[in-house]
Amino acid sequence: MKIVEATLFALGIPFVEAFAHSVRSRNSSDSIVVRLRAEDGTVGYGEAVARPYVTGETVASCLQFMERTLWPGVQAFDYPNWSGQEPIPWLRALAVPTGHSDKVVVNAGGMAAESVVAWNAARCGFELALVDCLLKSAGVSLGELLPPRRSVTYSGVITASSIEGAVKHAKRFKQFGLPHLKVKITGEADYERLAAIRAAVGPQVSLRVDGNGAYTVESAIATCEALAEFQIDSAEQMIPRGDPQDLARVQAASVMAQMADESLITLADAKALIEAGACRGFNLRLSKCGGLGPTLAIADLAQTAGIQVQVGCQVGETAILSAAGRHLAAYLPEISFCEGSYGSLLLREDLSRRPIHFGHQGLAKPLKVPGLGVEIQDALLEKYAEQIITLPTQVA
Ligand SMILES: [Mg+2]
């Protein structure tokens, strides 16, 4: 199946409330939605969330890379329709072909190509749009390829706002029955923050922390030790991305399970982390890891190595990434925690016709509608787009 048309929507959907962690605070979603049209008229949607402090991509460089590098490859390719093949190889065959072009120098938004770890957000945007398009064309749900093993239980994530604000959020999540909470920490008053949250939610709720690389090896070890009394299930990315041996030092000195997030972008990262014994958990995020195919490959490796996986999300993601994340979380053999599907809890309006956010106790059922399982409203794409780019179609 040939893809004949592509449109990029760089969005700015306002948040209901600002969300902060140690690196940044944001007030709106800056997702890029990729809309592809196949030669049979079927339309599919994918989503990329560019994060300069994660993969090195910015919205501007991501748009350029999609237009100059990915789109020519996608246009030239004849994609295999889904007709009952082995799902994982089929998904991996959708990896957007680029040849040497990952090396193409893109310099936009102040971000030079050399500082890009991988163009994974851009690739994820195209890969998900291809999956959605090709499966819709075949009338098949992604859930038929990746059969769900369970319903999914979502965690609440608590922004690094004031301690009073964090406690307010924790109480709201607890009222909603969420059994798992992740707390963003910054190195300032972490003990007081966790003490207040633990007191507010009681002993039954599972708590974990995410430092977004704000700590040194020494301060990470000290913080994990200080917070251990609050029964923290995992400490995510305490130190910045770097030598896996540094994270291994934190893990070796801490009783708390370390979870790699920004340190885990590529399959090579996963191998290096496992080899170094750097952590006990991986946070898998589709936009960070390059889409379903590459993320499943990392999950495979983790399972073999006895590393726990968590399915994470992007702050401000829309129903598209949330739906893909739901399929992934429902399919994987074992996950420790799952995040995402926050929809209109965070976004003023989400893109799907029917909400896909979770219900009471964080529970959500697998999605069964063809493609990724969301019906995207083009009118909302247009309403919230700060930029709409129709990519040039090459004449064969
Ligand atoms: Mg994280």
Side-chain angles (χ1 to χ4, degrees), residues 185 190-191 194 209 215-232 234-235 238 249-258:
I185 56 174
D190 295 338
Y191 184 89
L194 268 297
V209 294
Y215 300 78
T216 61
V217 169
E218 291 69 30
S219 66
I221 294 169
T223 302
C224 289
E225 199 177 314
L227 298 182
E229 68 176 274
F230 304 117
Q231 301 104 53
I232 308 297
S234 69
M238 295 296 282
R249 281 168 59 206
V250 180
Q251 182 62 84
S254 174
V255 287
M256 214 175 274
Q258 301 296 311

Side-chain angles (χ1 to χ4, degrees), residues 27-335:
N27 297 304
S28 64
S29 162
D30 56 0
S31 287
I32 299 169
V33 169
V34 178
R35 184 178 68 193
L36 299 180
R37 190 182 303 276
E39 57 188 336
D40 70 352
T42 312
V43 173
Y45 299 87
E47 180 176 357
V49 183
R51 289 286 176 261
Y53 49 86
V54 182
T55 61
E57 296 158 285
T58 62
V59 169
S61 68
C62 203
L63 288 169
Q64 271 196 19
F65 188 78
M66 285 171 161
E67 174 167 359
R68 296 184 188 174
T69 305
L70 296 182
W71 175 231
V74 168
Q75 250 190 119
F77 203 70
D78 198 358
Y79 286 93
N81 285 333
W82 165 257
S83 53
Q85 305 92 314
E86 275 296 307
I88 307 283
W90 182 80
L91 281 170
R92 290 193 189 158
L94 301 186
V96 180
T98 57
H100 303 294
S101 42
D102 270 27
K103 306 259 186 293
V104 162
V105 172
V106 176
N107 194 337
M111 189 60 58
E114 307 83 70
S115 55
V116 172
V117 180
W119 294 97
N120 278 358
R123 289 173 171 282
C124 174
F126 267 86
E127 191 229 48
L128 293 184
L130 286 167
V131 169
D132 193 40
C133 189
L134 295 168
L135 292 184
K136 273 182 190 160
S137 170
V140 170
S141 159
L142 180 56
E144 285 179 54
L145 274 75
L146 306 177
R149 299 170 211 253
R150 65 179 87 78
S151 55
V152 178
T153 301
Y154 284 93
S155 302
V157 181
I158 298 176
T159 164
S161 57
S162 65
I163 293 182
E164 302 75 63
V167 167
K168 196 181 81 188
H169 281 108
K171 284 183 173 160
R172 201 188 295 157
F173 284 137
K174 162 134 177 153
Q175 250 172 18
F176 205 62
L178 298 193
H180 313 139
L181 298 180
K182 182 164 99 176
V183 181
K184 294 285 192 181
I185 56 174
T186 61
E188 258 176 64
D190 295 338
Y191 184 89
E192 291 75 10
R193 178 176 297 268
L194 268 297
I197 291 173
R198 180 51 88 196
V201 300
Q204 300 302 326
V205 172
S206 153
L207 291 180
R208 57 194 195 277
V209 294
D210 185 357
N212 291 97
Y215 300 78
T216 61
V217 169
E218 291 69 30
S219 66
I221 294 169
T223 302
C224 289
E225 199 177 314
L227 298 182
E229 68 176 274
F230 304 117
Q231 301 104 53
I232 308 297
D233 287 327
S234 69
E236 186 174 319
Q237 198 69 42
M238 295 296 282
I239 62 171
R241 175 184 171 84
D243 185 345
Q245 293 298 342
D246 291 338
L247 189 53
R249 281 168 59 206
V250 180
Q251 182 62 84
S254 174
V255 287
M256 214 175 274
Q258 301 296 311
M259 163 134 0
D261 186 10
E262 287 86 343
S263 290
L264 174 79
I265 293 172
T266 63
L267 191 63
D269 288 340
K271 287 178 183 161
L273 289 165
I274 290 168
E275 212 162 281
C279 55
R280 297 198 204 130
F282 283 173
N283 188 27
L284 304 177
R285 296 194 278 157
L286 289 166
S287 179
K288 176 188 75 166
C289 298
L292 287 161
T295 304
L296 286 165
I298 296 176
D300 240 26
L301 204 65
Q303 203 196 349
T304 313
I307 301 275
Q308 289 207 319
V309 297
Q310 161 178 301
V311 174
C313 68
Q314 301 289 151
V315 173
E317 70 182 26
T318 77
I320 302 169
L321 268 173
S322 290
R326 176 88 51 89
H327 284 290
L328 178 70
Y331 165 75
L332 288 174
E334 253 185 81
I335 55 169

